[in-house]
Amino acid sequence: MIKIENITKKFGRLDVLKGIDLEISPGKITAILGPNGSGKSTLIKSVLGMVIPDSGNISIDGVSVLGDWKYRNKISYLPQIASFPENLTVKNLIRMLKDIRQQPANESFLISLFKIEEFLDKRIKHLSGGTRQKVNLLLACMFNNPIIILDEPTTGLDPVSVVNLKNLIRQQKEEGTTIIFTTHIMSLVDDLADEIVFLLEGNIHYQGTKEQLKEKNKSKDLELAIANMLVEKKEIKLDSKPFRYVESLAI
Amino acid sequence: MWKVWQYSAYDLLRSRWTYIYFAFFLIVSFSLLRMSSSLMMAVVSLVNIVNILIPLIGTIFGAIYFYNSREFMELLISQPLKRRSLFLGHYLGLASSLAGSFLLGMGIPFVFFRIWQSDQFGNFLSLMFTGILLTFIFVGIAYLIALLNDNKVKGFGIAIVVWLFMVVLYDGLFILLLVAFEDYPLEKFSLAASFLNPVDLSRIFVMLKLDIAALMGYTGAVFSKFLGSSNGIFLSVALMLIWIFVPLLAYLRIARKKDF
């Protein structure tokens, strides 16, 4: 279990995380949502040790991870931007990560799932944005780790790959993996997430299941439920034109 | 650390810029050897090229490569790796690739001219040695600047100003100060001032080794007078090593606490 206790983080004068307390249940899919700049990526990066919190504690299975690095062999991570050394081939990259992690990998299954056989010997600089994201996914998911963290996993993917990704995430969940992801695509949350953590201005605004969220905000549609929640917070009346406000709130 | 070094170096080995850098030194070194009347003249001419160009390429290419690798470094930070190993490995990857291109580019023509049979062999080795030290110094400075400045334009700007200051402006300011304070004893001041510029140190080192009084310049002459040739050589190398380690340690220390 990942336990986050009273984490705060400032970037200059900007309070990005204002005392987050969160427990992420093992074996479940948790979606971290929130408008741009709400602290989603900072929270994820704090768990990974990429951002160093100003105060608070993060522990995995009861052991504090701040200042440590070995615990990261339990975590697979998909960064938001897929950027690799341009002159390496996809094969080089796979070998490099296997070299670094020294863990068994099931890359061949993912290579065929995302259809990247033909790109294996190509240099990264010759790949399209979507193919790079597939390589990014392959590198993140090829190790059998108990925790997977995905930052905007569907960016740049074609619909077939999105379906494959969803199936992959479901399959990983069945194997008992804890999955955390951030996204702005509500249908993905509706399809996959067991739990939702909604961040707003550096605080947790909502935490619970998606069913509870829908019930609480009296909506069958997750997108509308979140919009209602935000509207309530900002004291704006939705009236009959909810989508205009949904758009302007930039969830 | 060695794995990060290995893959960074491998990436650079396949980059065309590494070959352009190699080819440049190959052509310049070969042309100077063909045109100069003696091997010594060629070595002396190459000292200036090494002192200007290596800091320039080290700083610019260092900053470019660091900024280009930023997202990739983020991915590596999320792996079970110590930050120090990762950042040191990345630095060594670039510095060793540039040093390798320089060594081969500059060295091959000299081998062709049978340098090992010449009395200039020791001087040639000093030139190579100082070129390698300058590469490691300026890649370290560039990495430190790039790490401290997330804004690329600002980072490049500072990197270029640092190069310009050390290679061009420093000598000018130095002479201005010497002229302005000519009534005072300036030996100790100029000795200390030359410690603060690795390019000056590199020039003094090679000139002391070559033992050409006319080309030593004021600081070289002071070095020679105060310390004698061999102590001067030893001190200039020691100071250049400090110039490698201080920016590198600052870079590693900042990287340890940096948010990505």
Side-chain angles (χ1 to χ4, degrees):
Chain A
M1 184 174 68
I2 304 171
K3 195 172 178 188
I4 297 166
E5 291 164 281
N6 202 20
I7 285 287
T8 62
K9 182 69 193 174
K10 267 187 182 181
F11 288 120
R13 278 193 222 151
L14 194 70
D15 267 326
V16 183
L17 300 178
K18 299 173 186 165
I20 300 265
D21 279 302
L22 179 65
E23 283 185 14
I24 291 172
S25 325
K28 287 197 172 166
I29 303 177
T30 305
I32 298 182
L33 309 176
N36 297 329
S38 58
K40 301 185 296 290
S41 289
T42 308
L43 181 63
I44 281 181
K45 286 178 173 184
S46 301
V47 175
L48 286 155
M50 297 163 73
V51 167
I52 298 154
D54 297 332
S55 66
N57 189 34
I58 298 172
S59 55
I60 295 179
D61 299 331
V63 182
S64 173
V65 298
L66 293 180
D68 192 12
W69 55 274
K70 290 188 189 108
Y71 75 96
R72 290 199 282 262
N73 61 16
K74 290 185 203 162
I75 307 177
S76 296
Y77 169 60
L78 176 94
Q80 201 171 33
I81 303 165
S83 174
F84 309 108
E86 292 195 329
N87 296 300
L88 295 185
T89 63
V90 178
K91 256 187 192 164
N92 291 151
L93 272 175
I94 295 172
R95 205 175 57 219
M96 181 181 84
L97 279 190
K98 281 165 82 172
D99 259 5
I100 288 175
R101 298 196 76 116
Q102 299 283 328
Q103 290 173 327
N106 57 344
E107 75 270 21
S108 39
F109 164 69
L110 293 165
I111 289 169
S112 62
L113 181 71
F114 290 116
K115 310 220 167 4
I116 33 186
E117 295 93 341
E118 57 182 304
F119 304 109
L120 284 177
D121 289 314
K122 291 224 162 91
R123 291 187 195 195
I124 298 294
K125 66 177 170 190
H126 296 139
L127 301 183
S128 71
T131 313
R132 279 185 200 207
Q133 180 65 359
K134 287 181 193 172
V135 173
N136 201 11
L137 273 167
L138 159 74
L139 297 177
C141 299
M142 68 182 182
F143 300 103
N144 204 6
N145 285 323
I147 301 167
I148 298 182
I149 298 178
L150 308 163
D151 202 353
E152 308 263 0
T154 53
T155 313
L157 288 185
D158 56 64
V160 179
S161 303
V162 173
V163 172
N164 285 334
L165 174 67
K166 283 182 186 171
N167 290 335
L168 180 69
I169 292 176
R170 284 191 197 107
Q171 187 193 325
Q172 295 276 1
K173 186 198 160 187
E174 276 169 28
E175 288 169 15
T177 310
T178 307
I179 298 157
I180 303 164
F181 73 95
T182 72
T183 186
H184 290 288
I185 299 165
M186 289 306 123
S187 60
L188 193 71
V189 181
D190 222 355
D191 277 358
L192 294 174
D194 299 314
E195 296 211 4
I196 291 174
V197 175
F198 194 92
L199 293 183
L200 200 59
E201 291 162 4
N203 289 309
I204 295 180
H205 187 60
Y206 171 82
Q207 186 188 357
T209 63
K210 58 189 175 201
E211 288 76 20
Q212 285 168 338
L213 179 70
K214 286 178 190 170
E215 201 177 308
K216 191 179 159 196
N217 291 286
K218 299 178 188 73
S219 171
K220 282 181 186 169
D221 184 82
L222 186 67
E223 207 155 28
L224 266 178
I226 287 175
N228 276 330
M229 184 170 69
L230 279 174
V231 164
E232 214 172 85
K233 167 89 178 165
K234 292 190 184 252
E235 294 175 350
I236 305 166
K237 282 190 178 158
L238 264 176
D239 294 335
S240 56
K241 291 179 180 170
F243 291 108
R244 189 176 297 168
Y245 291 104
V246 171
E247 217 171 291
S248 68
L249 286 162
I251 300 164
Chain B
M1 180 181 85
W2 297 114
K3 280 170 194 160
V4 179
W5 170 80
Q6 183 193 337
Y7 284 97
S8 299
Y10 185 62
D11 174 44
L12 286 158
L13 204 65
R14 301 182 71 178
S15 156
R16 66 169 172 270
W17 291 107
T18 311
Y19 294 99
I20 292 173
Y21 190 57
F22 161 75
F24 174 83
F25 276 115
L26 191 76
I27 294 163
V28 168
S29 167
F30 195 77
S31 320
L32 277 169
L33 280 166
R34 282 299 296 261
M35 286 188 290
S36 302
S37 51
S38 71
L39 276 173
M40 185 174 177
M41 292 299 285
V43 171
V44 172
S45 309
L46 283 167
V47 171
N48 280 324
I49 291 171
V50 165
N51 278 350
I52 293 172
L53 212 81
I54 289 188
L56 179 67
I57 301 297
T59 334
I60 302 295
F61 200 61
I64 292 176
Y65 192 63
F66 187 89
Y67 284 125
N68 279 350
S69 317
R70 224 191 117 92
E71 278 108 16
F72 177 62
M73 279 160 116
E74 284 185 22
L75 175 71
L76 289 181
I77 294 170
S78 71
Q79 304 300 320
L81 279 173
K82 243 190 212 170
R83 278 204 186 189
R84 198 181 52 212
S85 315
L86 156 61
F87 283 88
L88 190 60
H90 199 266
Y91 160 80
L92 289 176
L94 177 62
S96 60
S97 302
L98 288 181
S101 295
F102 160 72
L103 266 183
L104 290 174
M106 190 82 114
I108 289 170
F110 276 90
V111 171
F112 200 67
F113 278 77
R114 295 174 177 272
I115 182 72
W116 65 91
Q117 289 173 350
S118 149
D119 57 351
Q120 291 301 312
F121 189 47
N123 295 335
F124 163 75
L125 288 182
S126 314
L127 181 66
M128 294 307 232
F129 181 60
T130 188
I132 292 168
L133 290 182
L134 282 176
T135 306
F136 278 81
I137 291 170
F138 280 90
V139 171
I141 292 174
Y143 266 41
L144 179 62
I145 293 170
L147 184 70
L148 285 171
N149 295 283
D150 289 341
N151 182 338
K152 280 185 195 181
V153 179
K154 199 174 156 194
F156 279 127
I158 295 173
I160 290 171
V161 168
V162 166
W163 171 81
L164 199 70
F165 179 78
M166 287 191 176
V167 175
V168 184
L169 295 178
Y170 195 87
D171 281 352
L173 285 173
F174 194 56
I175 290 166
L176 270 180
L177 283 172
L178 290 185
V179 171
F181 296 99
E182 62 184 338
D183 296 338
Y184 300 91
L186 289 166
E187 283 87 353
K188 281 184 184 159
F189 162 75
S190 55
L191 201 62
S194 60
F195 292 173
L196 298 175
N197 188 350
V199 181
D200 233 11
L201 286 168
S202 147
R203 191 175 50 79
I204 291 167
F205 166 68
V206 182
M207 291 309 162
L208 287 174
K209 191 81 189 44
L210 283 164
D211 206 17
I212 313 171
L215 289 174
M216 272 180 202
Y218 185 70
T219 44
V222 171
F223 246 77
S224 182
K225 186 184 153 198
F226 268 78
L227 303 159
S229 254
S230 55
N231 279 346
I233 287 171
F234 175 76
L235 187 66
S236 52
V237 171
L239 288 165
M240 276 197 276
L241 289 174
I242 290 175
W243 263 104
I244 294 180
F245 287 113
V246 171
L248 183 61
L249 290 176
Y251 157 76
L252 292 175
R253 202 178 160 78
I254 293 164
R256 210 173 50 156
K257 301 239 159 131
K258 172 104 177 156
D259 297 314
F260 283 88

